[in-house]
Amino acid sequence: MGLAKTDVQNAQSVGQTDGNIITTTIDKVINWGRKNSLWPMPFGTACCAIEMMATLASKFDLSRFGSEAIRFSPRQSDLLIVSGRISIKMMPVLKRIYDQMPDPKWVISMGACASCGGVFDTYTLIQGVDQFIPVDVYIPGCPPRPEDLIDAVLQVQQKIASGASPKGVEHLLET
């Protein structure tokens, strides 16, 4: 089975190609694998969750980007997608889910409510999940379109490919 043209172009950006030999570093190979096999954990609480489901359907097909393996167990996920309103009582649950995910892990805050509280500026709702967990990519909108979620996943993939550490891993870098 031969390499596709895009695989060869990606290999050339990773290292040198000479016929059937590719030279690269272990870090670049690991980041390539992580980038192309993100396992999202959805945390949808409101209307943004409907748009997240639409992204997984056949019209938009998030699986084209290697993220079709939705996991509902945080221990099997490396991408947390927070969408919708997060109440003060729900925040400890979200924090615990985030803490149970293995490192490295990335977070997408989907929609105005998850990013900044949206139009619900009340004492019962969190005004941005980034006050409690680190967020790598923000998606604006109320609710954002499925294309916006696909763009956010691509942004996370670009971060991974560039070797940038996800936010919130400072404790790992210090040891």
Side-chain angles (χ1 to χ4, degrees):
M1 186 166 153
L3 292 173
K5 185 176 181 181
T6 56
D7 290 336
V8 172
Q9 289 170 344
N10 289 339
Q12 289 172 343
S13 68
V14 170
Q16 302 278 331
T17 60
D18 183 31
N20 292 329
I21 299 172
I22 298 174
T23 59
T24 187
T25 64
I26 296 295
D27 290 337
K28 288 183 181 179
V29 170
I30 290 171
N31 287 339
W32 176 82
R34 284 183 180 145
K35 175 185 106 124
N36 292 305
S37 63
L38 287 172
W39 288 9
M41 162 81 188
F43 193 85
T45 60
C47 44
C48 287
I50 303 299
E51 295 298 320
M52 188 179 357
M53 287 183 252
T55 307
L56 298 169
S58 60
K59 183 175 182 181
F60 298 100
D61 195 19
L62 189 61
S63 65
R64 296 178 291 161
F65 306 103
S67 297
E68 75 273 7
I70 299 294
R71 299 292 180 212
F72 292 97
S73 168
R75 294 190 173 127
Q76 297 176 350
S77 303
D78 53 7
L79 174 63
L80 178 62
I81 303 173
V82 181
S83 61
R85 301 178 299 271
I86 307 297
S87 67
I88 290 174
K89 287 189 174 189
M90 187 57 78
M91 194 63 226
V93 174
L94 178 61
K95 178 75 171 124
R96 183 169 179 154
I97 287 172
Y98 175 80
D99 290 341
Q100 288 177 350
M101 292 172 63
D103 287 320
K105 53 192 166 189
W106 294 269
V107 177
I108 294 175
S109 177
M110 181 177 177
C113 293
S115 298
C116 65
V119 299
F120 303 101
D121 190 8
T122 66
Y123 69 94
T124 60
L125 296 178
I126 301 299
Q127 301 300 306
V129 295
D130 57 355
Q131 297 175 21
F132 296 92
I133 60 175
V135 174
D136 295 289
V137 178
Y138 295 90
I139 306 174
C142 182
R145 300 270 310 137
E147 295 94 340
D148 297 329
L149 179 55
I150 290 172
D151 183 56
V153 170
L154 293 175
Q155 288 180 36
V156 169
Q157 287 180 337
Q158 288 173 352
K159 283 185 172 191
I160 295 169
S162 70
S165 298
K167 292 188 179 180
V169 294
E170 291 81 17
H171 66 280
L172 295 176
L173 300 175
E174 292 173 1
T175 59

